[in-house]
Amino acid sequence: MNLIPAPYEFKQGVGSFRINGELTVGSELDLPLIKLKKSDNPDITVKKADMPKEAYRLTVERDGIEILAADKIGAYYAFQSLRQLSRAELGGKSIECCEIYDKPRFSFRGLQLDESRHFFGTDAVKKLIDTMFMMKLNVFHWHLTDDQGWRIEIKKYPLLTEIGSKRKNTQVGGWGSRKMIEGEYGGYYTQEEIKEIVEYADERGIMIIPEIDFPAHCAAAIAAYPWLACRELDREVPGYFGGVVPETVLGIRDWNRTICVGKDDTVNFVFDIIDEVCELFPAPYFHIGGDEAPKNEWKKCPHCQKVIKDNGLKNEEDLQGMFNNAVLEHLKAKGKRLIGWNEILKAGNLDKSAVVQYWTPQRDKRAEDFVNSGGSMIMSNHHSFYFDMTYSQYPLKFTYDYKPEKFGVSTENVKNVLGVEGENWTEWIDSVEVLDCRLHPRMEALAEVAWSEERNKNWHSFKKRLDAFKPYFDYLGINYAVDEVSLPKNLIRRGKIRKLFFKGDTHYEVKLNKEYKSKGAR
Ligand code: ACM
Ligand code: ZN
């Protein structure tokens, strides 16, 4: 059975269905994406049935194929399975008889893309959505703002894109490098483009959750509107991502600046942004980031200190907590839940209805206590789900072997885990080719973690099915990491590649992958 992700139940039948020419379909459900010819005596019959959301039953017999599903997406997933089983696009001429009953393990099966550090654009995002759809992933977390670029049009604050979407130069050569490539780098999505992409994803059962990162990672917004910061200084959108680059100018670390949450104007700005962004994204979630918020500016700011004093807050962490709670209430009034990275739990006063996304490389007892006491959580533990890391750092198996229990979630509280999500941060990912090499086959491993029951997961079986899937990467024009790269066996070589990455050759593994491929590696 060549199918990724592994289905819930699979029974092998006898014989096979022969594909003679173009397949025809007859459906009780409206399936606009299925372009097969309609027929009254079809090869594939789709019937509406009482089933869980996204589930389907697929029966392949010698004389016909039947799909049962409760909704459009369940039926599409059956077609996606049929697509891999038939390999029709790759020249397949038959489908082995079988019966599949399939449904997801987790309801939240996500992938994130950072388009602030590098911008990929509509076509690349749609292609990513297509591949997610093939893998039965259903959440696209869109990181649209960060220090190095604001990438979403906001009509009330036009300078966010006029100024905030452009930087003059870009750091290359990894963390700590002083090397900059000069030249304007920019790009953003208009609201019309956003609507088009949201609709495209929705047709494929994919919810898009926007992330507008507050209160930190706001240097691009502050460059556009300096009054957002505690100190109103004239600063540019930074082209560097972090490390030992000049950070001491005016004592400002431009690659991660925090807005002043002690001023009403700033908090109202955040509400205004949320109001506009919520109009574009129907998802019942809104991601406010909340990660890595330095408190040095707040400590010296009279506005921030006044709010702390007036509200009897313990410290600056609780000031962030108070800000988060205000945003959470604002979102709640719109029927939306706040998602934030696990640093938001540092605040002692955070409302328990927040959804926490656990990412930190260091274990976080607060995060683990939160999920084990009923809090809703999305798991993106660095070790398994930070796809921007090289394979020499995190081999493919780190993703495949993921279990929430390995990161402190007790067995009885796995039910509080909404799901898992892979992260594509793009400081050192400057093209689709590099992105794809880091992402595939990690996305396929993620899909199996997200969709398949633990009892149906098996590394050796996955590897075999992945080998069978690889022709699809070539067919779809997707760069992927071959075994030699994604499963580095040679520890000495692995150490060398890791060292080269830290010395600044951030594309070494991608180059090596190309070399291996040219020699016929898969
Ligand atoms: C993060 O990687 N700062 C969420
Ligand atoms: Zn302040």
Side-chain angles (χ1 to χ4, degrees), residues 142-170:
W142 210 357
H143 187 79
L144 285 163
T145 69
D146 213 301
D147 301 293
Q148 293 80 11
W150 184 282
R151 306 270 177 245
I152 173 171
E153 177 192 25
I154 303 292
K155 303 230 193 252
K156 191 160 184 184
Y157 300 99
L159 299 186
L160 285 172
T161 44
E162 253 168 63
I163 293 173
S165 76
K166 297 174 198 148
R167 58 182 187 243
K168 284 189 180 152
N169 51 22
T170 300

Side-chain angles (χ1 to χ4, degrees), residues 111-254:
L111 194 75
Q112 174 263 27
L113 180 65
D114 164 14
E115 286 214 81
S116 171
R117 275 58 175 264
H118 284 98
F119 183 75
F120 300 90
T122 300
D123 290 347
V125 168
K126 282 187 177 171
K127 191 167 171 188
L128 187 62
I129 286 169
D130 287 339
T131 321
M132 288 176 65
F133 186 31
M134 197 170 179
M135 284 296 124
K136 304 183 174 93
L137 297 173
N138 67 351
V139 179
F140 179 55
H141 165 181
W142 210 357
H143 187 79
L144 285 163
T145 69
D146 213 301
D147 301 293
Q148 293 80 11
W150 184 282
R151 306 270 177 245
I152 173 171
E153 177 192 25
I154 303 292
K155 303 230 193 252
K156 191 160 184 184
Y157 300 99
L159 299 186
L160 285 172
T161 44
E162 253 168 63
I163 293 173
S165 76
K166 297 174 198 148
R167 58 182 187 243
K168 284 189 180 152
N169 51 22
T170 300
Q171 183 184 10
V172 289
W175 305 109
S177 162
R178 288 171 175 269
K179 200 167 153 202
M180 306 293 288
I181 300 266
E182 294 302 321
E184 188 177 287
Y185 187 92
Y188 69 88
Y189 293 101
T190 64
Q191 296 198 351
E192 284 312 306
E193 287 166 330
I194 298 256
K195 282 184 207 159
E196 181 191 322
I197 293 170
V198 167
E199 195 180 311
Y200 186 86
D202 180 65
E203 285 164 356
R204 287 152 182 81
I206 294 171
M207 154 172 86
I208 304 192
I209 300 178
E211 181 187 353
I212 309 292
D213 207 342
F214 291 122
H217 290 294
C218 282
I222 294 170
Y225 297 103
W227 51 264
L228 289 171
C230 292
R231 289 186 291 165
E232 294 189 24
L233 303 167
D234 190 19
R235 308 291 298 164
E236 293 179 346
V237 178
Y240 45 91
F241 305 114
V244 296
V245 282
E247 66 180 77
T248 47
V249 188
L250 299 170
I252 302 277
R253 289 178 182 221
D254 272 312

Side-chain angles (χ1 to χ4, degrees), residues 49 158 175 195 272 321 369 376 396 417 434 449 509:
W175 305 109
K195 282 184 207 159
D272 288 342
D369 288 348
S376 299
L396 177 63
V417 172
V434 178
V449 173
E509 214 175 57

Side-chain angles (χ1 to χ4, degrees), residues 147 214-216 218-235 252-254 256-267 269-270 294 296-304:
D147 301 293
F214 291 122
C218 282
I222 294 170
Y225 297 103
W227 51 264
L228 289 171
C230 292
R231 289 186 291 165
E232 294 189 24
L233 303 167
D234 190 19
R235 308 291 298 164
I252 302 277
R253 289 178 182 221
D254 272 312
N256 184 2
R257 289 199 70 193
T258 310
I259 56 169
C260 175
V261 297
K263 294 191 262 198
D264 287 345
D265 283 353
T266 315
V267 177
F269 168 88
V270 172
N296 48 332
E297 292 279 313
W298 292 0
K299 284 195 171 118
K300 291 179 279 190
C301 169
H303 307 288
C304 289

